């Protein structure tokens, strides 16, 4: 496969992975509320969150595979998983490796949730709040489209969307689902 094809696939999957991760983070925040959205039941929202999360991991893995196979990036699989080991753009690729490692930790604990317990799952799941901005910064620093208007607008839209959800999450009227569920048990 030519480097141009790998580059195009790497670019596209990186952008799609960022958007899907944004959607997953937003739905993860929304799923913690005790609300439905447009009549969609909470269980369906959780299913959509998990699906967006799964696809963000799939697109991220294809992104990693294609950029490591692309000879221009001069990246190895080790560079993709161990931060700041790349000889080419060590900061930006290192941030990508951190985001990938965090995303994989979140994914593995999600799959092992019934074995590791809710507290461990939720503690690791909080890493999503770190993986998302690190992935966004990685895209801005390492992405070949990072100076183009469409990419900057897309990134700003992602930042505003997650920022608005995070701001809503910390408001007193958020009504955390786990708190509401615990309150129901007490009553």
């Amino acid at each position: 496969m030519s480097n141009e094809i790998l580059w195009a696939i790497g670019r596209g999957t990186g952008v799609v992975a960022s958007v899907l991760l944004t959607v997953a983070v937003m739905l993860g925040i929304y799923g913690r509320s005790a609300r439905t959205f447009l009549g969609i039941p909470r269980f369906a929202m959780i299913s959509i969150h998990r699906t967006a999360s799964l696809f963000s991991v799939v697109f991220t893995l294809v992104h990693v595979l294609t950029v490591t196979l692309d000879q221009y990036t001069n990246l190895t699989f080790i560079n993709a998983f161990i931060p700041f080991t790349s000889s080419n753009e060590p900061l930006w690729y290192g941030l990508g490796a951190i985001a990938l490692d965090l995303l994989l930790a979140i994914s593995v604990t999600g799959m092992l949730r019934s074995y590791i317990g809710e507290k461990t799952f939720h503690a690791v799941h909080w890493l999503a709040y770190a993986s998302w901005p690190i992935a966004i910064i990685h895209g801005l620093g390492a992405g070949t489209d990072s100076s183009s208007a469409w990419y900057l607008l897309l990134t700003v839209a992602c930042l505003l969307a997650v920022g608005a959800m995070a701001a809503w999450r910390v408001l007193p009227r958020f009504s955390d689902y786990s708190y509401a569920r615990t309150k129901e048990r007490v009553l």
Side-chain angles (χ1 to χ4, degrees), residues 19-34:
V19 171
L20 286 169
L21 190 56
T22 297
V23 170
V25 169
M26 290 174 58
L27 291 174
I29 294 169
Y30 195 87
R32 293 297 298 170
S33 77

Side-chain angles (χ1 to χ4, degrees), residues 73-178:
T73 63
N74 198 28
L75 288 174
T76 66
F77 285 106
I78 299 218
N79 301 142
F81 293 97
I82 301 175
F84 311 113
T85 58
S86 169
S87 59
N88 183 25
E89 303 283 351
L91 174 64
W92 303 123
Y93 292 140
L95 290 174
I98 290 171
L100 173 64
D101 293 343
L102 293 174
L103 191 59
L104 291 175
I106 295 163
S107 300
V108 168
T109 57
M111 291 183 285
L112 299 174
R113 185 178 188 167
S114 61
Y115 300 103
I116 63 173
E118 290 292 314
K119 286 185 180 185
T120 304
F121 166 76
H122 285 293
V124 174
H125 220 69
W126 275 93
L127 293 174
Y129 287 111
S131 68
W132 178 80
I134 292 170
I136 295 294
I137 294 167
H138 159 74
L140 286 169
T144 54
D145 292 310
S146 61
S147 62
S148 63
W150 71 266
Y151 186 81
L152 292 173
L153 285 171
L154 183 66
T155 302
V156 167
C158 289
L159 290 168
L160 290 173
V162 170
M165 292 300 285
W168 175 57
R169 173 72 172 97
V170 298
L171 290 175
R173 66 177 187 262
F174 176 75
S175 183
D176 189 303
Y177 178 74
S178 61

Side-chain angles (χ1 to χ4, degrees), residues 2-14 63 66 70 144-145:
S2 77
N3 279 354
E4 290 176 10
I5 293 171
L6 290 171
W7 175 72
I9 294 170
R11 280 175 60 212
T13 54
H63 170 70
T66 55
D70 184 351
T144 54
D145 292 310

